[in-house]
Amino acid sequence: MTTPPHIADEGAELLPVATPARTRAALRTLVRPDRGLALTGIGVLVAATVVGLLVQPLLGRIVDVVADGRPAGDLTLPVVLLIAVAAVQGVTTTLGLTRVARLGETVLARLREQFVERALNLPADRLERAGSGDLTARVTGDVARVTEAVRSALPEMARSVLAIGLTLGALALLDVRFLIAALLAVPVQLLTARWYVRRAVTLYADQRVANGAQQQQLLETIGGAVTVRGHRLEERHTERGADRSRKAVDLTMRSVNLVLGFYGRLHIAEYIGLAAVLIAGFWLVRDGAVSIGTATAAALYFHSLFGPVNAALVLLDDAQSAAAGLARLVGVTDLAEQPEPKPGKPEADGKPEAGKTTPGKAAPASVPRQRVASPEAAVSVHAVSHAYGPGRPVLHEVSLTLAPGEHVALVGASGAGKSTLARIVAGVQQPTAGTVTGPTAGAVTAPAGPGGPSVVLVTQEVHVFTGTLADDLRLARPDATDDDLRAALATVDALDWAAALPDGLATVVGEGGHRLDAARAQQLALARLVLADPALAVLDEATAEAGSAGARALERSAGAALTGRTALVVAHRLTQAVAADRVVVLEAGRVVESGPHEMLRDADGPYAALWRAWSGSRAAPHP
């Protein structure tokens, strides 16, 4: 279960935050595979703490030897034992903390992998509603806080809790009255902890949300700087950014004041406890109940509690901050785990519907080769509707069938719903209503058949990953050989420029490396499509960023990449519609025309109007 998502000022629906109970359950799940390591680490730390508790009685023994005026030789044994205790405690503490740290790093790595894996599978419309700033803040700030807690707070907390419990037990062994005196500090410490936690949980959660909103505003302002300047919105965006920054700073200062009050109350508890133990020691020594050395050991025991008690309570600060961050991370993983509704006819007897694929291990495919479209490559969209929120419908009961090997061009004015339908067909986004059967049914990441993934989506927003060109291509097929890579590049007419790079396939591209222009980056994406060899390819304006000069060349590359496979192409230029087997026209989320280019061009309909506007023709349409 997760709590309802926070709503940002401008209506952006931030990603949900897990409840404390769900966060604890997720943490137990993360630790469960390494229970043996956890038990071993805690066991070694217990041994180290027990050995360390011998220091105070040995010091008390030395005090008694001096107070009783005994020979100096009587000091030899306690001094030697102190040295042995220091050595043993140092070794065991190191071993215990090492194992606890290893446990923390293992759990942290598992959390990171799980978060990244599931964040990549979040529905596209959900991310759009939340904004990139919220997810970015969780990936950076929240992960950093959890990392800091795991690397520093977790080992120290384990050590402190053990020291507190065992030291109180040692006080009771000396004399139970010393323990009673020491416990006078506990009410103040408990009240302090309660006072702090009740305020810190909400405060740190609000602080994380404020930081996410601030980061989102900065990303929007910087990313849309040209539009902001063009519409003279600098002052408005500056005020909005300043307002969110003020909220973040205000919450930060409140947290600082909270910590200062927390420390002040802890000092009061220390004074009460130490005074009580010293007074108890005075009365017990005067009555002959204990020796001076025993009273000294009791005072040293309580004084030694200052460190672990304060550390444990102070670590509540890190723990609360990390818990807030962990809850935000778990909220994302839970959101990705929630099954999307599958409207339509349910599966019978646990068997998949016709055309659906079953996740499995994909075998490598050879390149180049021409895929022969199979019946499984057919796609059927039935009565699909989609909305990005209440009152924001995008698609209205759209039905569409793609025959095996058929190339269908999707055209229409901006906002007609073309990209939404393309993402639904690709399986990246689930429809609000309706069904999709074929290679895309189920998870888009599930490979199907010997060719690898069942569907690949290529959009106009192509990312060139940092690394060598070969590594970037192998994202589509990790086992591809260099010959496979060259064949894929040759298929999309990119081999010449790739071979001309300073180090060929070994050239570093992406951030900090060799920059690829929009056309070459798109060819790289098409080459990855060829390597993946899907049954169905979905191109969402994949040639839009090339510009006029490279548009025709890029369209030829796209055509070659689509050869032999079923394809749905969101056409940015109507030349792509001319080359398609069939053209489907969307208007306001509905299919209004469907047929070959020549038939629709000669009809007096929406496509004919689009064609005349695009081609510049002023001739009257044929009747």
Side-chain angles (χ1 to χ4, degrees):
M1 292 291 293
T2 55
T3 59
H6 296 275
I7 306 299
D9 294 347
E10 276 65 36
E13 184 182 340
L14 300 184
L15 296 168
V17 178
T19 61
R22 176 66 192 107
T23 303
R24 290 191 295 271
L27 185 58
R28 287 193 296 271
T29 302
L30 288 169
V31 175
R32 188 173 295 121
D34 299 291
R35 285 176 295 182
L37 181 61
L39 292 175
T40 304
I42 293 174
V44 175
L45 283 179
V46 169
T49 305
V50 170
V51 171
L53 292 177
L54 297 176
V55 171
Q56 287 83 354
L58 289 173
L59 291 175
R61 178 67 175 173
I62 293 173
V63 170
D64 283 337
V65 168
V66 175
D68 295 342
R70 300 177 192 174
D74 290 352
L75 296 175
T76 303
L77 180 60
V79 170
V80 170
L81 290 176
L82 280 173
I83 296 173
V85 165
V88 173
Q89 185 185 25
V91 172
T92 52
T93 300
T94 301
L95 290 175
L97 291 178
T98 299
R99 298 192 72 82
V100 172
R102 182 180 300 173
L103 170 68
E105 291 294 336
T106 303
V107 171
L108 179 62
R110 189 176 294 121
L111 172 64
R112 283 173 167 170
E113 292 169 1
Q114 189 179 92
F115 177 81
V116 171
E117 176 186 357
R118 294 179 181 173
L120 290 174
N121 289 322
L122 286 176
D125 57 330
R126 188 65 185 85
L127 286 177
E128 289 174 0
R129 294 201 304 272
S132 57
D134 186 30
L135 186 61
T136 301
R138 300 188 189 215
V139 172
T140 55
D142 293 323
V143 170
R145 289 191 176 273
V146 174
T147 300
E148 182 181 355
V150 166
R151 290 179 176 171
S152 58
L154 177 62
E156 188 62 30
M157 177 68 82
R159 183 181 176 184
S160 298
V161 170
L162 290 172
I164 293 168
L166 294 175
T167 301
L168 291 176
L171 276 172
L173 290 176
L174 292 178
D175 192 297
V176 72
R177 287 167 287 190
F178 285 126
L179 175 61
I180 296 172
L183 292 179
L184 292 178
V186 172
V188 179
Q189 292 168 335
L190 290 178
L191 289 174
T192 298
R194 183 186 178 193
W195 172 84
Y196 175 78
V197 169
R198 291 177 63 181
R199 289 161 176 78
V201 172
T202 304
L203 181 58
Y204 282 118
D206 291 344
Q207 192 176 4
R208 299 272 68 75
V209 172
N211 288 338
Q214 180 191 34
Q215 194 161 3
Q216 174 66 24
Q217 180 61 44
L218 291 174
L219 287 173
E220 289 179 351
T221 301
I222 294 173
V226 175
T227 303
V228 170
R229 287 196 296 268
H231 290 273
R232 300 295 187 269
L233 299 175
E234 295 94 339
E235 184 176 351
R236 183 186 303 176
H237 275 256
T238 300
E239 290 177 356
R240 191 177 298 167
D243 179 63
R244 293 193 173 185
S245 296
R246 279 193 295 270
K247 290 181 180 178
V249 171
D250 177 64
L251 288 170
T252 301
M253 294 307 300
R254 285 173 56 190
S255 66
V256 170
N257 291 331
L258 181 66
V259 171
L260 291 176
F262 179 66
Y263 280 123
R265 286 167 171 79
L266 288 183
H267 293 325
I268 295 173
E270 291 173 0
Y271 173 80
I272 293 173
L274 184 57
V277 170
L278 290 175
I279 292 172
F282 171 78
W283 287 104
L284 291 173
V285 170
R286 193 186 70 169
D287 294 341
V290 299
S291 67
I292 296 177
T294 302
T296 302
L300 291 174
Y301 269 137
F302 186 82
H303 188 271
S304 69
L305 283 175
F306 286 6
V309 167
N310 288 349
L313 293 177
V314 168
L315 285 175
L316 286 174
D317 181 68
D318 294 333
Q320 292 303 321
S321 182
L326 182 61
R328 284 161 55 82
L329 297 179
V330 173
V332 173
T333 59
D334 281 355
L335 182 64
E337 280 186 321
Q338 291 171 4
E340 295 287 342
K342 301 286 185 180
K345 183 179 179 180
E347 297 176 3
D349 303 324
K351 297 180 181 179
E353 296 176 10
K356 286 193 176 182
T357 58
T358 302
K361 184 71 174 177
S366 59
V367 177
R369 70 184 181 89
Q370 295 298 320
R371 173 184 281 277
V372 179
S374 64
E376 287 76 18
V379 179
S380 177
V381 178
H382 178 67
V384 162
S385 299
H386 190 73
Y388 288 108
R392 297 173 57 194
V394 179
L395 297 176
H396 305 272
E397 297 187 349
V398 172
S399 294
L400 174 67
T401 299
L402 278 71
E406 184 182 22
H407 291 185
V408 173
L410 203 57
V411 302
S414 178
K418 304 185 298 297
S419 294
T420 300
L421 180 59
R423 289 200 297 265
I424 290 174
V425 170
V428 172
Q429 192 162 304
Q430 295 294 332
T432 304
T435 58
V436 180
T437 58
T440 64
V444 68
T445 55
S454 60
V455 58
V456 168
L457 171 67
V458 180
T459 70
Q460 62 180 331
E461 299 172 354
V462 176
H463 183 74
V464 179
F465 293 86
T466 301
T468 66
L469 180 63
D471 290 341
D472 202 304
L473 287 166
R474 286 193 176 98
L475 291 171
R477 212 179 83 200
D479 64 339
T481 65
D482 285 353
D483 289 339
D484 293 335
L485 304 185
R486 293 188 185 93
L489 289 169
T491 301
V492 298
D493 295 326
L495 184 58
D496 289 342
W497 65 257
L501 292 175
D503 298 311
L505 292 176
T507 302
V508 176
V509 295
E511 191 70 26
H514 188 90
R515 294 282 183 167
L516 301 181
D517 60 29
R520 290 183 174 182
Q522 199 64 254
Q523 283 182 316
L524 180 60
L526 292 171
R528 289 198 293 253
L529 172 84
V530 174
L531 285 166
D533 195 23
L536 170 67
V538 179
L539 269 58
D540 185 4
E541 298 189 353
T543 63
E545 297 295 329
S548 300
R552 293 300 175 89
L554 196 53
E555 287 173 9
R556 288 194 297 270
S557 298
L562 298 179
T563 301
R565 66 184 94 252
T566 308
L568 177 66
V569 179
V570 177
H572 177 72
R573 295 176 175 82
L574 292 190
T575 49
Q576 296 171 289
V578 174
D581 299 318
R582 182 159 52 100
V583 180
V584 173
V585 183
L586 281 183
E587 264 190 13
R590 292 181 171 85
V591 176
V592 294
E593 277 188 312
S594 178
H597 160 74
E598 292 82 1
M599 183 185 77
L600 298 184
R601 181 197 60 193
D602 295 338
D604 189 10
Y607 182 77
L610 287 173
W611 177 259
R612 290 195 303 271
W614 183 83
S615 63
S617 171
R618 295 295 183 266
H622 294 286

